[in-house]
PDB file of all heavy atoms in Angstrom:
ATOM      1  N   TYR A  12    -166.671 119.459 -44.818  1.00 93.00           N
ATOM      2  CA  TYR A  12    -167.361 118.342 -45.451  1.00 93.00           C
ATOM      3  C   TYR A  12    -166.537 117.057 -45.406  1.00 93.00           C
ATOM      4  O   TYR A  12    -167.087 115.951 -45.504  1.00 93.00           O
ATOM      5  CB  TYR A  12    -167.728 118.671 -46.902  1.00 93.00           C
ATOM      6  CG  TYR A  12    -168.626 117.620 -47.499  1.00 93.00           C
ATOM      7  CD1 TYR A  12    -169.970 117.554 -47.120  1.00 93.00           C
ATOM      8  CD2 TYR A  12    -168.143 116.669 -48.380  1.00 93.00           C
ATOM      9  CE1 TYR A  12    -170.805 116.566 -47.630  1.00 93.00           C
ATOM     10  CE2 TYR A  12    -168.966 115.674 -48.895  1.00 93.00           C
ATOM     11  CZ  TYR A  12    -170.296 115.632 -48.518  1.00 93.00           C
ATOM     12  OH  TYR A  12    -171.119 114.652 -49.007  1.00 93.00           O
ATOM     13  N   ARG A  14    -165.501 115.658 -42.973  1.00 96.00           N
ATOM     14  CA  ARG A  14    -165.996 114.838 -41.859  1.00 96.00           C
ATOM     15  C   ARG A  14    -166.951 113.755 -42.342  1.00 96.00           C
ATOM     16  O   ARG A  14    -167.018 112.663 -41.763  1.00 96.00           O
ATOM     17  CB  ARG A  14    -166.693 115.717 -40.820  1.00 96.00           C
ATOM     18  CG  ARG A  14    -165.784 116.676 -40.083  1.00 96.00           C
ATOM     19  CD  ARG A  14    -166.509 117.327 -38.905  1.00 96.00           C
ATOM     20  NE  ARG A  14    -165.678 118.324 -38.254  1.00 96.00           N
ATOM     21  CZ  ARG A  14    -165.752 119.629 -38.486  1.00 96.00           C
ATOM     22  NH1 ARG A  14    -166.654 120.084 -39.360  1.00 96.00           N
ATOM     23  NH2 ARG A  14    -164.958 120.467 -37.858  1.00 96.00           N
ATOM     24  N   THR A  15    -167.708 114.057 -43.389  1.00 95.00           N
ATOM     25  CA  THR A  15    -168.639 113.065 -43.930  1.00 95.00           C
ATOM     26  C   THR A  15    -167.886 111.853 -44.459  1.00 95.00           C
ATOM     27  O   THR A  15    -168.259 110.703 -44.203  1.00 95.00           O
ATOM     28  CB  THR A  15    -169.500 113.694 -45.036  1.00 95.00           C
ATOM     29  OG1 THR A  15    -170.217 114.804 -44.505  1.00 95.00           O
ATOM     30  CG2 THR A  15    -170.483 112.681 -45.605  1.00 95.00           C
ATOM     31  N   HIS A  16    -166.825 112.107 -45.210  1.00 97.00           N
ATOM     32  CA  HIS A  16    -166.014 111.005 -45.723  1.00 97.00           C
ATOM     33  C   HIS A  16    -165.302 110.280 -44.584  1.00 97.00           C
ATOM     34  O   HIS A  16    -165.193 109.048 -44.589  1.00 97.00           O
ATOM     35  CB  HIS A  16    -164.995 111.526 -46.730  1.00 97.00           C
ATOM     36  CG  HIS A  16    -165.603 111.959 -48.024  1.00 97.00           C
ATOM     37  ND1 HIS A  16    -165.971 111.065 -49.014  1.00 97.00           N
ATOM     38  CD2 HIS A  16    -165.921 113.193 -48.491  1.00 97.00           C
ATOM     39  CE1 HIS A  16    -166.479 111.730 -50.032  1.00 97.00           C
ATOM     40  NE2 HIS A  16    -166.463 113.024 -49.738  1.00 97.00           N
ATOM     41  N   LEU A  17    -164.821 111.039 -43.603  1.00 97.00           N
ATOM     42  CA  LEU A  17    -164.112 110.428 -42.479  1.00 97.00           C
ATOM     43  C   LEU A  17    -165.026 109.470 -41.725  1.00 97.00           C
ATOM     44  O   LEU A  17    -164.590 108.382 -41.307  1.00 97.00           O
ATOM     45  CB  LEU A  17    -163.576 111.514 -41.543  1.00 97.00           C
ATOM     46  CG  LEU A  17    -162.808 111.014 -40.319  1.00 97.00           C
ATOM     47  CD1 LEU A  17    -161.556 110.251 -40.738  1.00 97.00           C
ATOM     48  CD2 LEU A  17    -162.445 112.183 -39.398  1.00 97.00           C
ATOM     49  N   ARG A  18    -166.284 109.858 -41.560  1.00 96.00           N
ATOM     50  CA  ARG A  18    -167.234 108.976 -40.867  1.00 96.00           C
ATOM     51  C   ARG A  18    -167.341 107.631 -41.576  1.00 96.00           C
ATOM     52  O   ARG A  18    -167.318 106.570 -40.931  1.00 96.00           O
ATOM     53  CB  ARG A  18    -168.607 109.650 -40.797  1.00 96.00           C
ATOM     54  CG  ARG A  18    -169.720 108.751 -40.310  1.00 96.00           C
ATOM     55  CD  ARG A  18    -171.044 109.486 -40.198  1.00 96.00           C
ATOM     56  NE  ARG A  18    -171.435 110.173 -41.418  1.00 96.00           N
ATOM     57  CZ  ARG A  18    -172.012 109.568 -42.451  1.00 96.00           C
ATOM     58  NH1 ARG A  18    -172.234 108.261 -42.431  1.00 96.00           N
ATOM     59  NH2 ARG A  18    -172.364 110.267 -43.518  1.00 96.00           N
ATOM     60  N   VAL A  19    -167.428 107.646 -42.891  1.00 97.00           N
ATOM     61  CA  VAL A  19    -167.531 106.405 -43.647  1.00 97.00           C
ATOM     62  C   VAL A  19    -166.223 105.622 -43.567  1.00 97.00           C
ATOM     63  O   VAL A  19    -166.229 104.395 -43.385  1.00 97.00           O
ATOM     64  CB  VAL A  19    -167.900 106.699 -45.112  1.00 97.00           C
ATOM     65  CG1 VAL A  19    -167.940 105.402 -45.923  1.00 97.00           C
ATOM     66  CG2 VAL A  19    -169.241 107.403 -45.197  1.00 97.00           C
ATOM     67  N   LEU A  98    -160.671 108.972 -54.987  1.00 98.00           N
ATOM     68  CA  LEU A  98    -162.052 109.443 -54.863  1.00 98.00           C
ATOM     69  C   LEU A  98    -161.965 110.918 -54.520  1.00 98.00           C
ATOM     70  O   LEU A  98    -161.519 111.301 -53.438  1.00 98.00           O
ATOM     71  CB  LEU A  98    -162.813 108.695 -53.779  1.00 98.00           C
ATOM     72  CG  LEU A  98    -164.281 109.123 -53.593  1.00 98.00           C
ATOM     73  CD1 LEU A  98    -165.082 108.902 -54.878  1.00 98.00           C
ATOM     74  CD2 LEU A  98    -164.939 108.361 -52.448  1.00 98.00           C
ATOM     75  N   GLU A 100    -163.714 114.848 -54.364  1.00 98.00           N
ATOM     76  CA  GLU A 100    -165.010 115.504 -54.183  1.00 98.00           C
ATOM     77  C   GLU A 100    -165.434 116.246 -55.453  1.00 98.00           C
ATOM     78  O   GLU A 100    -164.617 116.579 -56.314  1.00 98.00           O
ATOM     79  CB  GLU A 100    -164.955 116.491 -53.008  1.00 98.00           C
ATOM     80  CG  GLU A 100    -165.767 116.041 -51.802  1.00 98.00           C
ATOM     81  CD  GLU A 100    -167.191 115.667 -52.154  1.00 98.00           C
ATOM     82  OE1 GLU A 100    -167.875 116.413 -52.875  1.00 98.00           O
ATOM     83  OE2 GLU A 100    -167.638 114.605 -51.701  1.00 98.00           O
ATOM     84  N   GLY A 127    -167.096 112.635 -56.475  1.00 98.00           N
ATOM     85  CA  GLY A 127    -168.075 112.687 -55.400  1.00 98.00           C
ATOM     86  C   GLY A 127    -169.454 113.174 -55.771  1.00 98.00           C
ATOM     87  O   GLY A 127    -170.126 113.810 -54.937  1.00 98.00           O
ATOM     88  N   GLN A 129    -172.375 111.895 -55.565  1.00 96.00           N
ATOM     89  CA  GLN A 129    -172.820 110.689 -54.886  1.00 96.00           C
ATOM     90  C   GLN A 129    -174.175 110.170 -55.348  1.00 96.00           C
ATOM     91  O   GLN A 129    -174.453 108.967 -55.262  1.00 96.00           O
ATOM     92  CB  GLN A 129    -172.837 110.939 -53.387  1.00 96.00           C
ATOM     93  CG  GLN A 129    -173.685 112.135 -52.983  1.00 96.00           C
ATOM     94  CD  GLN A 129    -173.273 112.734 -51.649  1.00 96.00           C
ATOM     95  OE1 GLN A 129    -172.115 112.683 -51.258  1.00 96.00           O
ATOM     96  NE2 GLN A 129    -174.243 113.290 -50.941  1.00 96.00           N
ATOM     97  N   ASP A 130    -175.015 111.052 -55.885  1.00 96.00           N
ATOM     98  CA  ASP A 130    -176.347 110.621 -56.326  1.00 96.00           C
ATOM     99  C   ASP A 130    -176.271 109.545 -57.401  1.00 96.00           C
ATOM    100  O   ASP A 130    -177.173 108.709 -57.508  1.00 96.00           O
ATOM    101  CB  ASP A 130    -177.134 111.805 -56.896  1.00 96.00           C
ATOM    102  CG  ASP A 130    -177.179 112.987 -55.962  1.00 96.00           C
ATOM    103  OD1 ASP A 130    -176.097 113.560 -55.720  1.00 96.00           O
ATOM    104  OD2 ASP A 130    -178.265 113.353 -55.498  1.00 96.00           O
ATOM    105  N   SER A 132    -174.631 106.949 -57.584  1.00 97.00           N
ATOM    106  CA  SER A 132    -174.555 105.588 -57.042  1.00 97.00           C
ATOM    107  C   SER A 132    -175.852 105.100 -56.425  1.00 97.00           C
ATOM    108  O   SER A 132    -175.955 103.925 -56.067  1.00 97.00           O
ATOM    109  CB  SER A 132    -173.430 105.512 -55.997  1.00 97.00           C
ATOM    110  OG  SER A 132    -172.174 105.796 -56.590  1.00 97.00           O
ATOM    111  N   LEU A 133    -176.849 105.964 -56.294  1.00 97.00           N
ATOM    112  CA  LEU A 133    -178.117 105.542 -55.717  1.00 97.00           C
ATOM    113  C   LEU A 133    -178.875 104.648 -56.693  1.00 97.00           C
ATOM    114  O   LEU A 133    -178.985 104.961 -57.881  1.00 97.00           O
ATOM    115  CB  LEU A 133    -178.981 106.753 -55.373  1.00 97.00           C
ATOM    116  CG  LEU A 133    -178.492 107.661 -54.243  1.00 97.00           C
ATOM    117  CD1 LEU A 133    -179.435 108.845 -54.083  1.00 97.00           C
ATOM    118  CD2 LEU A 133    -178.377 106.891 -52.931  1.00 97.00           C
ATOM    119  N   PRO A 292    -182.943 108.333 -49.740  1.00 94.00           N
ATOM    120  CA  PRO A 292    -182.314 108.491 -48.422  1.00 94.00           C
ATOM    121  C   PRO A 292    -182.366 109.947 -47.988  1.00 94.00           C
ATOM    122  O   PRO A 292    -182.448 110.860 -48.816  1.00 94.00           O
ATOM    123  CB  PRO A 292    -180.866 108.048 -48.668  1.00 94.00           C
ATOM    124  CG  PRO A 292    -180.891 107.295 -49.953  1.00 94.00           C
ATOM    125  CD  PRO A 292    -182.008 107.864 -50.758  1.00 94.00           C
ATOM    126  N   ARG A 293    -182.295 110.155 -46.688  1.00 89.00           N
ATOM    127  CA  ARG A 293    -182.250 111.534 -46.207  1.00 89.00           C
ATOM    128  C   ARG A 293    -180.895 112.133 -46.554  1.00 89.00           C
ATOM    129  O   ARG A 293    -179.899 111.415 -46.696  1.00 89.00           O
ATOM    130  CB  ARG A 293    -182.486 111.586 -44.703  1.00 89.00           C
ATOM    131  CG  ARG A 293    -181.439 110.901 -43.854  1.00 89.00           C
ATOM    132  CD  ARG A 293    -181.752 111.056 -42.378  1.00 89.00           C
ATOM    133  NE  ARG A 293    -180.824 110.347 -41.523  1.00 89.00           N
ATOM    134  CZ  ARG A 293    -179.636 110.802 -41.155  1.00 89.00           C
ATOM    135  NH1 ARG A 293    -179.212 111.983 -41.602  1.00 89.00           N
ATOM    136  NH2 ARG A 293    -178.842 110.107 -40.357  1.00 89.00           N
ATOM    137  N   PRO A 294    -180.823 113.450 -46.723  1.00 82.00           N
ATOM    138  CA  PRO A 294    -179.541 114.092 -47.024  1.00 82.00           C
ATOM    139  C   PRO A 294    -178.491 113.719 -45.982  1.00 82.00           C
ATOM    140  O   PRO A 294    -178.763 113.631 -44.787  1.00 82.00           O
ATOM    141  CB  PRO A 294    -179.882 115.579 -46.965  1.00 82.00           C
ATOM    142  CG  PRO A 294    -181.328 115.649 -47.321  1.00 82.00           C
ATOM    143  CD  PRO A 294    -181.941 114.420 -46.706  1.00 82.00           C
ATOM    144  N   GLY A 295    -177.287 113.489 -46.447  1.00 76.00           N
ATOM    145  CA  GLY A 295    -176.212 113.081 -45.561  1.00 76.00           C
ATOM    146  C   GLY A 295    -175.969 111.590 -45.568  1.00 76.00           C
ATOM    147  O   GLY A 295    -174.964 111.116 -45.052  1.00 76.00           O
ATOM    148  N   ARG A 296    -176.903 110.812 -46.170  1.00 84.00           N
ATOM    149  CA  ARG A 296    -176.733 109.362 -46.223  1.00 84.00           C
ATOM    150  C   ARG A 296    -176.530 108.875 -47.655  1.00 84.00           C
ATOM    151  O   ARG A 296    -176.643 107.688 -47.924  1.00 84.00           O
ATOM    152  CB  ARG A 296    -177.950 108.659 -45.611  1.00 84.00           C
ATOM    153  CG  ARG A 296    -178.315 109.091 -44.219  1.00 84.00           C
ATOM    154  CD  ARG A 296    -177.173 109.048 -43.224  1.00 84.00           C
ATOM    155  NE  ARG A 296    -176.551 107.742 -43.104  1.00 84.00           N
ATOM    156  CZ  ARG A 296    -175.662 107.445 -42.163  1.00 84.00           C
ATOM    157  NH1 ARG A 296    -175.277 108.371 -41.285  1.00 84.00           N
ATOM    158  NH2 ARG A 296    -175.120 106.241 -42.113  1.00 84.00           N
ATOM    159  N   TYR A 297    -176.211 109.789 -48.566  1.00 89.00           N
ATOM    160  CA  TYR A 297    -175.985 109.397 -49.955  1.00 89.00           C
ATOM    161  C   TYR A 297    -174.551 108.903 -50.169  1.00 89.00           C
ATOM    162  O   TYR A 297    -174.249 108.254 -51.168  1.00 89.00           O
ATOM    163  CB  TYR A 297    -176.218 110.587 -50.889  1.00 89.00           C
ATOM    164  CG  TYR A 297    -177.662 110.971 -51.116  1.00 89.00           C
ATOM    165  CD1 TYR A 297    -178.610 110.858 -50.109  1.00 89.00           C
ATOM    166  CD2 TYR A 297    -178.061 111.467 -52.347  1.00 89.00           C
ATOM    167  CE1 TYR A 297    -179.924 111.236 -50.324  1.00 89.00           C
ATOM    168  CE2 TYR A 297    -179.375 111.840 -52.571  1.00 89.00           C
ATOM    169  CZ  TYR A 297    -180.310 111.731 -51.561  1.00 89.00           C
ATOM    170  OH  TYR A 297    -181.606 112.099 -51.785  1.00 89.00           O
ATOM    171  N   VAL A 298    -173.642 109.249 -49.250  1.00 95.00           N
ATOM    172  CA  VAL A 298    -172.226 109.005 -49.495  1.00 95.00           C
ATOM    173  C   VAL A 298    -171.855 107.530 -49.323  1.00 95.00           C
ATOM    174  O   VAL A 298    -170.929 107.051 -49.981  1.00 95.00           O
ATOM    175  CB  VAL A 298    -171.365 109.909 -48.585  1.00 95.00           C
ATOM    176  CG1 VAL A 298    -171.470 109.482 -47.130  1.00 95.00           C
ATOM    177  CG2 VAL A 298    -169.921 109.948 -49.044  1.00 95.00           C
ATOM    178  N   GLU A 299    -172.568 106.786 -48.486  1.00 95.00           N
ATOM    179  CA  GLU A 299    -172.227 105.383 -48.268  1.00 95.00           C
ATOM    180  C   GLU A 299    -172.324 104.548 -49.546  1.00 95.00           C
ATOM    181  O   GLU A 299    -171.394 103.774 -49.846  1.00 95.00           O
ATOM    182  CB  GLU A 299    -173.104 104.773 -47.179  1.00 95.00           C
ATOM    183  CG  GLU A 299    -172.730 105.199 -45.773  1.00 95.00           C
ATOM    184  CD  GLU A 299    -173.410 106.478 -45.334  1.00 95.00           C
ATOM    185  OE1 GLU A 299    -174.031 107.147 -46.189  1.00 95.00           O
ATOM    186  OE2 GLU A 299    -173.342 106.809 -44.134  1.00 95.00           O
ATOM    187  N   PRO A 300    -173.412 104.654 -50.340  1.00 96.00           N
ATOM    188  CA  PRO A 300    -173.455 103.882 -51.585  1.00 96.00           C
ATOM    189  C   PRO A 300    -172.319 104.242 -52.538  1.00 96.00           C
ATOM    190  O   PRO A 300    -171.820 103.376 -53.267  1.00 96.00           O
ATOM    191  CB  PRO A 300    -174.827 104.250 -52.183  1.00 96.00           C
ATOM    192  CG  PRO A 300    -175.653 104.663 -51.013  1.00 96.00           C
ATOM    193  CD  PRO A 300    -174.699 105.339 -50.078  1.00 96.00           C
ATOM    194  N   MET A 301    -171.910 105.501 -52.540  1.00 97.00           N
ATOM    195  CA  MET A 301    -170.796 105.904 -53.402  1.00 97.00           C
ATOM    196  C   MET A 301    -169.498 105.217 -52.981  1.00 97.00           C
ATOM    197  O   MET A 301    -168.728 104.742 -53.816  1.00 97.00           O
ATOM    198  CB  MET A 301    -170.620 107.420 -53.371  1.00 97.00           C
ATOM    199  CG  MET A 301    -169.460 107.926 -54.209  1.00 97.00           C
ATOM    200  SD  MET A 301    -169.261 109.706 -54.084  1.00 97.00           S
ATOM    201  CE  MET A 301    -168.801 109.885 -52.347  1.00 97.00           C
ATOM    202  N   TRP A 302    -169.246 105.174 -51.668  1.00 98.00           N
ATOM    203  CA  TRP A 302    -168.040 104.507 -51.187  1.00 98.00           C
ATOM    204  C   TRP A 302    -168.087 103.017 -51.492  1.00 98.00           C
ATOM    205  O   TRP A 302    -167.066 102.412 -51.854  1.00 98.00           O
ATOM    206  CB  TRP A 302    -167.847 104.758 -49.692  1.00 98.00           C
ATOM    207  CG  TRP A 302    -166.974 105.948 -49.436  1.00 98.00           C
ATOM    208  CD1 TRP A 302    -167.353 107.193 -49.056  1.00 98.00           C
ATOM    209  CD2 TRP A 302    -165.541 105.988 -49.563  1.00 98.00           C
ATOM    210  NE1 TRP A 302    -166.259 108.010 -48.940  1.00 98.00           N
ATOM    211  CE2 TRP A 302    -165.137 107.292 -49.235  1.00 98.00           C
ATOM    212  CE3 TRP A 302    -164.575 105.050 -49.917  1.00 98.00           C
ATOM    213  CZ2 TRP A 302    -163.789 107.684 -49.267  1.00 98.00           C
ATOM    214  CZ3 TRP A 302    -163.237 105.430 -49.950  1.00 98.00           C
ATOM    215  CH2 TRP A 302    -162.863 106.740 -49.623  1.00 98.00           C
ATOM    216  N   GLU A 303    -169.246 102.399 -51.363  1.00 97.00           N
ATOM    217  CA  GLU A 303    -169.372 100.982 -51.718  1.00 97.00           C
ATOM    218  C   GLU A 303    -169.035 100.782 -53.196  1.00 97.00           C
ATOM    219  O   GLU A 303    -168.334  99.826 -53.568  1.00 97.00           O
ATOM    220  CB  GLU A 303    -170.789 100.487 -51.431  1.00 97.00           C
ATOM    221  CG  GLU A 303    -171.138 100.416 -49.956  1.00 97.00           C
ATOM    222  CD  GLU A 303    -170.374  99.331 -49.215  1.00 97.00           C
ATOM    223  OE1 GLU A 303    -169.867  98.392 -49.870  1.00 97.00           O
ATOM    224  OE2 GLU A 303    -170.278  99.413 -47.971  1.00 97.00           O
ATOM    225  N   ALA A 304    -169.537 101.681 -54.040  1.00 98.00           N
ATOM    226  CA  ALA A 304    -169.261 101.579 -55.471  1.00 98.00           C
ATOM    227  C   ALA A 304    -167.776 101.792 -55.758  1.00 98.00           C
ATOM    228  O   ALA A 304    -167.190 101.104 -56.607  1.00 98.00           O
ATOM    229  CB  ALA A 304    -170.100 102.593 -56.237  1.00 98.00           C
ATOM    230  N   PHE A 305    -167.154 102.732 -55.063  1.00 98.00           N
ATOM    231  CA  PHE A 305    -165.730 103.004 -55.268  1.00 98.00           C
ATOM    232  C   PHE A 305    -164.891 101.779 -54.920  1.00 98.00           C
ATOM    233  O   PHE A 305    -164.006 101.373 -55.686  1.00 98.00           O
ATOM    234  CB  PHE A 305    -165.310 104.203 -54.423  1.00 98.00           C
ATOM    235  CG  PHE A 305    -163.853 104.559 -54.533  1.00 98.00           C
ATOM    236  CD1 PHE A 305    -163.333 105.063 -55.716  1.00 98.00           C
ATOM    237  CD2 PHE A 305    -162.993 104.398 -53.452  1.00 98.00           C
ATOM    238  CE1 PHE A 305    -161.989 105.404 -55.823  1.00 98.00           C
ATOM    239  CE2 PHE A 305    -161.658 104.730 -53.535  1.00 98.00           C
ATOM    240  CZ  PHE A 305    -161.144 105.236 -54.732  1.00 98.00           C
TER     241      PHE A 305
END
Side-chain angles (χ1 to χ4, degrees):
Y12 189 74
R14 293 190 184 98
T15 301
H16 289 281
L17 180 62
R18 170 177 53 81
V19 177
L98 181 60
E100 250 309 313
Q129 56 204 30
D130 308 65
S132 298
L133 292 177
R293 64 178 176 82
R296 306 308 303 190
Y297 285 35
V298 70
E299 285 88 350
M301 178 182 66
W302 267 103
E303 291 291 340
F305 179 68

